Amino acid sequence: MGRPSPRLTNVGGGLDPSVAAVRRAVRRECADLEPGTAVIVASSGGCDSLVLAAAATFEGRRAGWLVAGATVDHGLQDDSATVAAQTAETLVDLGCDPVDVIRVDVGSAGGPESAARDARYDALGALAAAAGPSAIVLLGHTLDDQAETVVLGLARGSGTRSLAGMPPRRGAFRRPLLGVTRTTIRAAAAALGLAAWDDPHNDDPRFARVRVRQSVLPALERELGPGVAEALSRTARLTRADADALDTWAAEARATVEKEPGSLAIDALGQLPDAIRSRVLRLVALDAGAPANDLTAAHIDQVGELLDDWHGQRGVDLPGRVTARRRAATLRFERAPES
C-alpha cells in the first residue's frame, strides 16, 4: 500500500478544493463534538476511508478530539491480515492514535455481504462503547454509495425506509461524506498522496452493489443525463425526513393497538392509515424476532391480508421463524423455538 506523502494540503500554493470539501464535510458533521471526544475512524484501507482519516485527524487537531483508527480484518481473503496491517500503518502515519486491528468471525446469516457488515458493525460498536459514552465512529460512505443504496432499496420494493438510504447518524456511527462524490474523494486522495488499497470485492459482479455501480447507474446517467447519483442522494435525504415522521407516528400508534407484546387489536389497527398500520406491523414483527434485513414490504403486505382479506387462512410465515396469526379479534406475532 505504501506510506502516504507527508504533503497534506498545499497544491499549487493553496488548499486543494477536494481536500477542502472533505474537511468541510467532517467539520459540519462533527460540529457538536466537545474537545476530548474519542473519534474512531473506521478504515478498510480504501480511498474513501483513508481520505476521511486524513480529514478527521486534521480537524481533530484543531477541535481537540482524540482521533483513533480501526480496521476490521474479516478473514475473507488470503491477504486480509496483510492488508489490515498495512491499513493500520497508514492510519498511524495520518495521525490516528491508537489504531486497532480487529479480527472478526463472519457468519452466514443474510448472505456474505450482510454477515460481514454485521460482524464489522458489532466490532466497531464494541470498540466505541469501550472508548466512552460520547465516543463516535466515522464511516467513509460517499454520495455515490448512498445512490447505490437507494437503487438497491428500490429494487427490493421495501418501502419508504429502504429508499431513505443510509442515515448520516445512527447511534455511535456517523457518515460525514454522504454529500461528497466519489470523484471528489479520489481527487483528494491524489492531492494528499494517499496510496489506497483496492478491494477486489468492489469489482466482483457477484455482488448486487457492484452491478449497480458498474452497470445500472452508468446506464441511468447515459440515458437520463448527468446528476442521477446526486438526485438519488437528495431523494434519500427527503424520504428519510418523511420516514422519520411516519415512524414516530407509528411508534405512538402502536401503544394504542398493542394489548400485550406481540398481540394487536384488529379493530384498532383498522382505524389507522395504511402507511402507519404497515409500520406498526413491521415494528411488532421485528420485536418478535424477524431480521430487519430479510423482512420486506411484501411480507408486511401478506400480514395485512390477515386484516383486509380474512377467510380463515392459517397465517403468514415471516423470516426468523416468526409467524403472524389471526385469532378472533387479535393479530399475534409468535416466534417458533429453536429446533
Side-chain angles (χ1 to χ4, degrees):
M1 182 182 302
R3 292 175 180 266
S5 165
R7 176 178 58 85
L8 293 180
T9 57
N10 293 324
V11 177
L15 180 62
D16 182 87
S18 60
V19 176
V22 175
R23 289 181 180 175
R24 189 164 53 246
V26 171
R27 189 163 59 247
R28 182 170 53 245
E29 184 58 42
C30 299
D32 60 321
L33 299 183
E34 298 290 338
T37 300
V39 176
I40 303 168
V41 183
S43 178
S44 64
C47 186
D48 304 340
S49 56
L50 289 184
V51 169
L52 175 60
T57 54
F58 180 88
E59 295 297 329
R61 284 192 293 271
R62 300 174 61 183
W65 309 328
L66 305 177
V67 181
T71 186
V72 177
D73 177 7
H74 300 86
L76 299 177
Q77 301 178 41
D78 292 340
D79 61 346
S80 64
T82 300
V83 170
Q86 291 175 335
T87 299
E89 183 180 357
T90 301
L91 291 173
V92 169
D93 287 343
L94 288 172
C96 295
D97 182 30
V99 174
D100 287 281
V101 177
I102 310 170
R103 176 65 186 262
V104 297
D105 293 322
V106 177
S108 58
E113 286 180 284
S114 178
R117 181 175 59 248
D118 289 346
R120 179 168 63 252
Y121 277 68
D122 286 347
L124 292 170
L127 186 63
S134 64
I136 66 167
V137 178
L138 300 185
L139 305 172
H141 298 110
T142 68
L143 182 149
D144 297 83
D145 294 316
Q146 184 73 298
E148 293 160 9
T149 300
V150 173
V151 171
L152 290 168
L154 180 63
R156 286 195 298 268
S158 299
T160 308
R161 178 54 68 187
S162 184
L163 296 181
M166 295 177 286
R169 299 185 182 186
R170 177 174 289 164
F173 295 97
R174 300 192 185 190
R175 298 179 172 93
L177 305 184
L178 284 182
V180 182
T181 66
R182 195 172 287 143
T183 298
T184 298
I185 295 294
R186 289 172 176 167
L192 295 170
L194 296 174
W197 173 63
D198 290 323
D199 185 348
H201 284 174
N202 289 335
D203 293 315
D204 190 337
R206 291 179 300 169
F207 300 110
R209 182 176 290 273
V210 173
R211 297 195 296 274
V212 169
R213 180 180 306 141
Q214 294 181 343
S215 301
V216 177
L217 283 174
L220 290 174
E221 294 271 356
R222 184 172 59 251
E223 298 298 329
L224 301 179
V228 169
E230 288 82 356
L232 288 168
S233 179
R234 185 168 59 252
T235 295
R237 176 173 53 82
L238 296 172
T239 304
R240 188 179 309 110
D242 293 345
D244 287 345
L246 290 169
D247 286 348
T248 299
W249 185 0
E252 295 170 351
R254 176 180 178 177
T256 70
V257 302
E258 192 169 24
K259 300 188 292 184
E260 58 184 53
S263 180
L264 308 178
I266 289 175
D267 287 345
L269 281 172
Q271 302 302 311
L272 300 177
D274 288 346
I276 302 304
R277 187 182 74 171
S278 64
R279 281 170 168 76
V280 171
L281 296 177
R282 177 176 174 82
L283 285 172
V284 179
L286 292 174
D287 283 352
N293 290 337
D294 299 328
L295 188 65
T296 68
H299 289 128
I300 300 304
D301 288 343
Q302 292 173 17
V303 176
E305 292 178 3
L306 298 177
L307 309 174
D308 301 329
D309 188 23
W310 172 245
H311 48 270
Q313 56 264 51
R314 181 183 64 83
V316 176
D317 291 330
L318 302 174
R321 307 189 317 279
V322 174
T323 300
R325 290 189 176 89
R326 176 168 178 165
R327 295 173 179 170
T330 301
L331 180 67
R332 291 193 58 82
F333 290 79
E334 301 169 335
R335 188 180 191 191
E338 296 277 359
S339 57

